[in-house]
Amino acid sequence: MAYPELYVLRHGQTVWNAEGRLQGALNSPLTELGRAQALAQGRILAGLNLTGFQAICSPLGRTIETAGLAVAPIMERIRTDDRLREIEVGAWSGLQRDTLGVGYDPADPPGETLSLYDMAPEGEGLARLEIRCRDFLDSLEGPAVLITHGITSRMLRALCLGLVREELETLPGGQGNVFHVKDGVQRELRAEA
């Protein structure tokens, strides 16, 4: 299925990102670097023609804070949608990655070992995240700027690019960048933080 043109932002670095903690539905504030990353995303977006685009944000605090810095100065309205929240990590919420006892390699950057999210006790898992993200994309009526999270961003982009779940790890992540997805092609846009 062809989806509308998208600009996809992940929230800026949070205190818990810096500490290596899993957040899921929990929240921690942006760090100074995270705020600089959000402002860099805003500079990217300010250079684009966003006429006809809507802005849609996860309802979690870290994305709201990012949207306030990156999107609010250039778009009149930002609405929230619960389907853009981060993958739920259940009993692992708030825990440091290196204490999970599942063979996680702390040398791996967060989000690089996506199978970790299928192991989370009482977590959502990637299959249910895929259903949620597909439902969201199917509901879009036009082009949009999305402010979301690392794993959710990858799932949304994978679906738009026609990738299967096993290919999620091939997609770049990162904070402070913007992914442009149109007609099955993805471009990564960056600015200095």
Side-chain angles (χ1 to χ4, degrees), residues 4-11 45 50 52-60 63-64 66-68 70-72 75-85 135-149 152-153 156:
E5 181 177 7
L6 300 175
Y7 288 98
V8 183
L9 290 67
R10 178 188 179 193
H11 61 80
L45 294 175
L50 297 176
F53 279 74
Q54 60 181 319
I56 312 169
C57 183
S58 159
L60 298 177
T63 52
I64 298 287
T66 298
V71 180
M75 297 184 82
E76 289 183 14
R77 180 175 298 138
I78 303 170
R79 72 176 173 90
T80 61
D81 192 305
D82 196 50
R83 294 172 292 182
L84 291 179
R85 71 189 186 286
D135 181 62
F136 172 80
L137 290 169
D138 288 344
S139 74
L140 286 176
E141 297 179 359
V145 175
L146 308 180
I147 308 93
T148 188
H149 306 268
T152 303
S153 165
L156 290 163

Side-chain angles (χ1 to χ4, degrees), residues 151-168:
I151 307 307
T152 303
S153 165
R154 285 184 183 185
M155 184 64 77
L156 290 163
R157 291 182 285 126
L159 292 169
C160 289
L161 298 171
L163 303 178
V164 295
R165 194 176 325 132
E166 294 74 24
E167 295 175 289
L168 281 176

Side-chain angles (χ1 to χ4, degrees), residues 7 9 32-50 66-75 145 175-178 189-193:
Y7 288 98
L9 290 67
E32 184 177 326
L33 173 60
R35 288 187 292 280
Q37 290 167 333
L39 292 170
Q41 291 169 318
R43 289 192 299 277
I44 293 168
L45 294 175
L48 303 172
N49 180 358
L50 297 176
T66 298
L69 294 167
V71 180
I74 57 172
M75 297 184 82
V145 175
Q175 291 168 307
N177 52 357
V178 175
L189 310 174
R190 288 199 160 273
E192 292 301 316

